[in-house]
Amino acid sequence: MGQERVGFIGVGFMGHGMAKNIVTKGYPLTIVGNRNRAPVESLVAKGAVEVKTAAEVARNSDILHLCLSDSPLIEKIMRAPDGIMAGAHKGLVIVDTSTANPVSTEALAAELKTMGVDFVDAPLGGTPVQAEAGQLVAMCGGEEAVFNRVKPVIETWAAKIIHLGPVGAGHKMKLLNNFVSMGYAAIYAEALALGQKVGISIATFDSVIRGGRMSCGFYETFMGYALEGNPESHKFTLANAFKDLRYVDAMANAAQVPNPIGSAAKNLLGQAIGAGMGQKFVPMLADFVAEQNGIKKG
């Protein structure tokens, strides 16, 4: 087999950096247009080829990446008249880097298998900055031979790649990862508000936590906004975070495992979205909790 042709659907916050690394590291890249033209035009300038439909991307790809918002959108793009399945061909591998519902993932993989198409779920750990730098984490599920085939392409955008098991394992692990991270977000937001109420400023709180045992990379990006005021320190919307915790809830229900902590974090995110903050980024949850407790920003 010659060099793999790579396709990419979903060149948004995360996808642009991933696709940029794929094309600049030598792989032929086909992308589909987006309402936000800036990332598309940036990739075309670097050598990517733009086509008009997902079916065309599939026809022109050996390995097709998806980086989309949720399972309903993935299923829609798969099954649309001009969607992926319409252009799928035997030997195609789909690498789904979205955060998706594992039940949907497993069902799609089984359906695609009957068409001679393989599937790897490879959801991401990291931020858009890490995507641009090719320093993401990839949590992969899929058959070992298929994983080994796509791994060289994943290495263009990921610094850490873990093969977790069969199809679906990656998306299950990603949900656990996001359960932990959004749990942190809820705790940080509440702790900062409580601290301010009892006379501990955000800066004082940070002076104790940062660099100690309770610090971590997620803490630092959260505080990049809460303390330093950088609105782009962690570009992940509250709406997406809420979706992920709904998927965690569904996974826990299917496994018959109570998840009261996950439900508490999910409900807090839901309250913030109900207040019109769905497109705000996760660290801005600190603003919502502060305002709910009568703390004025600034």
Side-chain angles (χ1 to χ4, degrees):
M1 181 180 293
Q3 187 178 38
E4 304 276 17
R5 302 169 301 157
V6 181
F8 209 108
I9 298 175
V11 291
F13 286 148
M14 300 295 284
H16 173 267
M18 297 162 66
K20 181 204 74 174
N21 278 290
I22 290 168
V23 71
T24 58
K25 293 174 183 176
Y27 285 93
L29 181 68
T30 302
I31 60 175
V32 70
N34 193 308
R35 284 176 296 179
N36 181 2
R37 295 300 303 168
V40 175
E41 290 167 4
S42 166
L43 292 167
V44 169
K46 290 176 172 61
V49 174
E50 180 187 3
V51 296
K52 295 188 178 300
T53 68
E56 290 179 83
V57 179
R59 288 190 196 102
N60 288 282
S61 302
D62 302 306
I63 297 172
L64 171 54
H65 282 60
L66 304 179
C67 191
L68 300 169
S69 58
D70 56 29
S71 288
L73 179 58
I74 293 165
E75 293 185 11
K76 179 181 177 181
I77 289 175
M78 283 283 184
R79 297 196 171 94
D82 58 356
I84 292 168
M85 288 182 176
H89 53 88
K90 188 174 181 179
L92 176 66
V93 182
I94 293 172
V95 178
D96 184 10
T97 71
S98 318
T99 301
N101 184 337
V103 174
S104 172
T105 297
E106 291 168 348
L108 280 173
E111 185 176 353
L112 288 162
K113 193 73 171 176
T114 66
M115 304 168 64
V117 176
D118 287 307
F119 196 101
V120 171
D121 48 311
L124 316 169
T127 66
V129 172
Q130 290 170 300
E132 292 286 337
Q135 295 292 308
L136 293 171
V137 175
M139 311 166 210
C140 303
E143 296 175 10
E144 186 171 1
V146 180
F147 167 73
N148 288 335
R149 178 180 162 191
V150 301
K151 185 178 178 184
V153 181
I154 295 175
E155 286 174 338
T156 66
W157 51 261
K160 183 177 181 180
I161 304 168
I162 311 102
H163 184 211
L164 298 163
V167 170
H171 282 148
K172 292 171 184 175
M173 183 63 227
K174 174 61 173 176
L175 293 182
L176 295 174
N177 179 87
N178 282 19
F179 165 38
V180 173
S181 62
M182 293 310 115
Y184 279 167
I187 290 170
Y188 298 155
E190 188 172 319
L192 293 175
L194 177 58
Q196 290 174 88
K197 277 289 191 176
V198 299
I200 302 295
S201 70
I202 294 176
T204 300
F205 178 92
D206 182 69
S207 72
V208 173
I209 301 296
R210 189 178 296 267
R213 290 185 63 201
M214 302 309 297
S215 188
C216 64
F218 183 87
Y219 173 82
E220 291 171 5
T221 57
F222 191 95
M223 296 302 285
Y225 172 75
L227 176 63
E228 300 161 14
N230 177 7
E232 298 193 346
S233 64
H234 194 123
K235 292 172 69 174
F236 184 63
T237 66
L238 289 166
N240 273 332
F242 181 62
K243 175 265 296 183
D244 292 351
L245 289 192
R246 286 191 290 108
Y247 288 169
V248 170
D249 193 37
M251 185 168 72
N253 288 341
Q256 299 184 37
V257 174
N259 68 322
I261 306 303
S263 295
K266 180 192 72 177
N267 291 341
L268 177 59
L269 292 169
Q271 290 168 15
I273 290 167
M277 294 186 67
Q279 295 309 304
K280 300 291 186 181
F281 297 136
V282 163
M284 297 174 187
L285 188 64
D287 293 342
F288 173 74
V289 176
E291 289 165 7
Q292 292 297 298
N293 286 281
I295 300 167
K296 299 297 183 182
K297 188 175 179 180

